[in-house]
Amino acid sequence: MMNNIIETHDLCCQFNRIKSVDKINIQIPEGAIYGFLGPNGAGKTTTLKMLLGLLNPSSGSIKIFGEKMPTNRISILREIGSLIESPSFYGHLSGYKNLKIFASIYGLPNSAIEDVLNIVELTPHANRPVKHYSFGMKQRLGIAIALIHKPKLLILDEPTNGLDPAGIQQIRDLIKRLPTLYNTTVLISSHLLSEVEQIATHVGIIHGGKMLFQDAFDVLRKQQTSYLIIDLEDPSKAYQSMQKTGWDITVNHTAISIRLDTPGQKTKIFECLKNFNIINVKEKHRSLEDIFLDWTGVKKEV
Amino acid sequence: MDWSEERSMIWNLFKIEGMKLKRITWITPILSGLLLLIVTIGEWYLFFREGEGGVYASFNALYLFVSISFLLTGNLLITMVVGTEHESKGWKQFLAAPLSKSHLYMVKLAWVVALILVQGFVFIIGWALIWHVYTTDPLPFLFLLKQVFYCIIATLPVLIIQFYLSIAFENQAIPITIGVLGAIASLFLARSQVNWLHYLPWSYPGLVTPFLPNHIHWLQISLGISTILLLFTNWLFYNKNWN
């Protein structure tokens, strides 16, 4: 059985009587890239800050690597790299010196700095003051700081925010490589389904501080379905007839809706309905985005 | 973790904090020390030189400025040391690293105290040099050391309050204003006839001068209050939520 790197139990965080996080139970298996998905203000950053000991939970418990947080805060944090909200850096120092500060915390040699600079492709800019870096470079430096000690767990809070498409691609490729490169488990938060979809093996969807869904990404993908909506003269008779033959079907007063698992099923459906008067046929696809928007109640135009 | 391991961690953290300091943070205590020297000597030259005390009256001039100088420099240094962390959003990155929160708090404060000590040393060295150039009268060196270092010790309670306020408020204008008002108030509090006002931490720097017979009493109070404030603010820092 796969071990969970992170396990929370009924984790809550409350500010001024408002629950930012409400009884969250996160389970992240070892080696996973876990996409923590939710609209802005859903409680993602608050949850990540609790995992890192930056915020004290109002109630509930956190276990990371099987150890209790914050009781074993220092030993847990030794194995975690993180980038929360915007990257932190000392603008008056060079990229190299910023990394040197963190290398000193972990007692790492200078070669670790050079390695991580190579990984995030900042070697040519290592000796420039960070205040002169572009946003993308600062973001990569933030990731380099998080990676310098080859952590077992990497926590990234919306790491592609504000990056151009090339920068996003670069960060995405790097995150995908991490489980094999350092055997790192990655927890990445985002409000973009498309971003999480491209890299995550597991997903947790949070909204209004509550966890709405959590499982392997493939389980979520299975919920992505097409429906054939058929307007009929007598939909209830058609419904009874189709239901007997085992179709996943619903009915209202004008139409039946049949779930399509494969496109080839359409022929069989029309075969079954040959004795009914069909008025109109529509096919509706329920994408992952539709599912996400339905669950989170966020309107498409937003 | 045994004590030697912990000591090496604290020393490592002290060096790391030193790496973060901006050049201006190093220059400030040196300039403040020189400024205190110039102002004190200027005051003596203009208003005390012709008096009965002669060259020794310079210590009266020093007493006028020493407390406000250390309080204002401390205020500036705290803003620089803590402000660097606010500007860089470094708190959350640093506190998500495997470091003891208490150690981090103490080490940052230790840097502020170390830099104020730099100001103290610059002042004492400058004073001693000028004294030897200007006069052949013996320099009461122990008195000078006591005046300067007792005053530094007596500023600790205010520095600790100021230090925690700078951490708690991201906008440094608030702690700076409190610090400046406190430093100005210190000029009057120690000389106030209202006894209970002497127990406010802003009074201590003016009360630990070797001119006063009970200065050791105030020095002990400063140390006691510093210890209490240090434990309390460290506890607040440990439990602080980093939103």
Side-chain angles (χ1 to χ4, degrees):
Chain A
M1 194 179 137
M2 202 179 269
N3 289 327
N4 284 328
I5 290 282
I6 297 180
E7 272 184 3
T8 70
H9 179 68
D10 286 349
L11 192 62
C12 291
C13 190
Q14 193 169 326
F15 299 110
N16 303 323
R17 295 185 192 167
I18 296 165
K19 276 191 176 171
S20 296
V21 173
D22 190 5
K23 293 189 175 175
I24 292 251
N25 294 297
I26 299 177
Q27 286 169 345
I28 304 183
E30 192 174 354
I33 298 179
Y34 184 99
F36 196 33
L37 195 59
N40 292 329
K44 302 185 295 289
T45 303
T46 305
T47 306
L48 299 187
K49 283 185 172 178
M50 283 192 285
L51 295 178
L52 290 165
L54 296 170
L55 285 177
N56 300 313
S58 311
S59 61
S61 63
I62 301 169
K63 269 190 176 180
I64 302 179
F65 312 122
E67 290 186 89
K68 275 191 178 175
M69 183 75 170
T71 317
N72 301 305
R73 179 182 158 270
I74 292 183
S75 70
I76 291 171
L77 291 179
R78 216 167 266 147
E79 305 292 348
I80 299 182
S82 65
L83 173 60
I84 298 293
E85 295 170 324
S86 51
S88 307
F89 52 82
Y90 302 98
H92 61 292
L93 300 177
S94 67
Y96 190 92
K97 281 196 174 158
N98 268 277
L99 287 165
K100 177 78 186 166
I101 285 172
F102 288 90
S104 304
I105 291 175
Y106 297 102
L108 300 170
N110 290 346
S111 59
I113 303 172
E114 282 137 29
D115 288 350
V116 84
L117 279 167
N118 265 331
I119 288 173
V120 297
E121 296 172 24
L122 275 179
T123 308
H125 310 282
N127 294 315
R128 277 173 58 195
V130 176
K131 62 185 169 194
H132 299 315
Y133 279 19
S134 68
F135 186 81
M137 287 158 75
K138 286 173 185 168
Q139 199 78 356
R140 277 186 280 151
L141 178 66
I143 292 178
I145 288 170
L147 280 178
I148 194 162
H149 57 299
K150 301 178 183 170
K152 279 189 195 164
L153 171 64
L154 183 66
I155 297 179
L156 302 173
D157 185 19
E158 313 227 9
T160 56
N161 250 3
L163 292 180
D164 59 22
I168 292 173
Q169 184 64 44
Q170 220 172 5
I171 301 278
R172 194 185 291 148
D173 291 345
L174 174 63
I175 292 168
K176 277 188 192 170
R177 272 160 48 209
L178 284 173
T180 42
L181 197 65
Y182 296 144
N183 198 22
T184 302
T185 303
V186 183
L187 165 55
I188 175 172
S189 81
S190 177
H191 59 274
L192 300 172
L193 173 74
S194 55
E195 185 178 291
V196 169
E197 192 181 1
Q198 292 181 61
I199 52 176
T201 57
H202 291 71
V203 65
I205 298 178
I206 182 175
H207 180 55
K210 289 182 191 288
M211 188 73 101
L212 303 179
F213 174 88
Q214 178 177 238
D215 214 320
F217 212 100
D218 288 341
V219 177
L220 181 65
R221 277 197 191 97
K222 278 181 191 159
Q223 307 220 11
Q224 186 180 225
T225 46
S226 291
Y227 288 87
L228 210 54
I229 299 162
I230 307 168
D231 292 346
L232 294 152
E233 271 185 4
D234 193 349
S236 52
K237 270 193 180 173
Y239 170 74
Q240 283 164 9
S241 155
M242 295 289 285
Q243 204 186 25
K244 279 176 200 164
T245 47
W247 293 95
D248 183 354
I249 183 168
T250 55
V251 65
N252 63 27
H253 59 281
T254 58
I256 56 170
S257 168
I258 307 165
R259 181 186 160 127
L260 288 176
D261 292 323
T262 60
Q265 287 176 319
K266 283 184 204 168
T267 321
K268 288 178 189 167
I269 290 167
F270 292 125
E271 185 75 19
C272 294
L273 292 172
K274 65 185 177 192
N275 298 325
F276 297 91
N277 285 335
I278 295 174
I279 300 165
N280 191 21
V281 178
K282 280 181 286 186
E283 190 175 338
K284 193 181 167 195
H285 182 72
R286 193 167 178 250
S287 65
L288 281 180
E289 198 180 0
D290 291 326
I291 297 167
F292 178 59
L293 294 174
D294 284 350
W295 283 348
T296 57
V298 180
K299 288 180 183 171
K300 274 191 178 177
E301 58 269 27
V302 175
Chain B
M1 194 189 300
D2 63 19
W3 169 235
S4 68
E5 204 178 327
E6 197 165 337
R7 205 173 43 189
S8 96
M9 270 182 65
I10 294 170
W11 177 238
N12 188 34
L13 193 52
F14 192 79
K15 286 192 285 183
I16 289 168
E17 285 299 318
M19 283 162 74
K20 291 188 206 168
L21 296 180
K22 292 178 181 173
R23 198 175 300 153
I24 185 75
T25 318
W26 290 103
I27 295 169
T28 299
I30 297 170
L31 289 181
S32 295
L34 294 175
L35 187 68
L36 176 62
L37 197 62
I38 292 165
V39 170
T40 308
I41 290 170
E43 174 80 6
W44 169 78
Y45 191 81
L46 294 173
F47 303 108
F48 290 85
R49 186 169 48 116
E50 305 294 334
E52 281 179 20
V55 73
Y56 291 103
S58 57
F59 282 91
N60 296 68
L62 171 60
Y63 173 64
L64 289 178
F65 298 111
V66 70
S67 60
I68 193 168
S69 171
F70 285 126
L71 285 170
L72 287 177
T73 308
N75 191 10
L76 266 177
L77 290 170
I78 286 169
T79 306
M80 287 173 187
V81 170
V82 177
T84 305
E85 225 57 71
H86 284 307
E87 272 169 38
S88 64
K89 313 270 177 210
W91 288 116
K92 61 180 189 314
Q93 189 74 55
F94 239 66
L95 290 163
L99 296 169
S100 153
K101 289 183 188 180
S102 301
H103 288 171
L104 182 63
Y105 184 82
M106 298 295 277
V107 161
K108 275 197 178 292
L109 186 61
W111 262 109
V112 173
V113 175
L115 289 164
I116 293 176
L117 286 172
V118 169
Q119 184 195 356
F121 280 116
V122 167
F123 176 79
I124 286 169
I125 292 166
W127 184 277
L129 283 175
I130 291 170
W131 186 281
H132 286 297
V133 168
Y134 188 79
T135 177
T136 51
D137 289 338
L139 168 67
F141 197 66
L142 189 63
F143 189 94
L144 177 65
L145 288 181
K146 282 181 181 175
Q147 177 66 79
V148 171
F149 290 113
Y150 285 180
C151 187
I152 291 176
I153 293 169
T155 58
L156 285 178
V158 176
L159 291 183
I160 295 166
I161 295 169
Q162 199 69 31
F163 185 67
Y164 187 74
L165 288 176
S166 287
I167 292 171
F169 293 101
E170 198 169 335
N171 180 357
Q172 293 298 289
I174 300 164
I176 286 178
T177 308
I178 295 170
V180 170
L181 292 175
I184 294 167
S186 76
L187 289 175
F188 309 103
L189 287 172
R191 295 168 183 84
S192 166
Q193 297 301 311
V194 185
N195 272 344
W196 67 266
L197 286 177
H198 294 171
Y199 285 91
L200 293 176
W202 289 268
S203 304
Y204 307 156
L207 293 169
V208 292
T209 173
F211 282 122
L212 296 175
N214 63 341
H215 65 278
I216 294 293
H217 165 73
W218 290 107
L219 194 67
Q220 287 163 342
I221 287 180
S222 301
L223 286 169
I225 297 289
S226 298
T227 310
I228 293 165
L229 285 171
L230 198 57
L231 292 172
F232 179 62
T233 54
N234 202 327
W235 176 81
L236 288 177
F237 182 78
Y238 186 85
N239 291 296
K240 183 174 162 49
N241 277 326
W242 298 91
N243 286 321

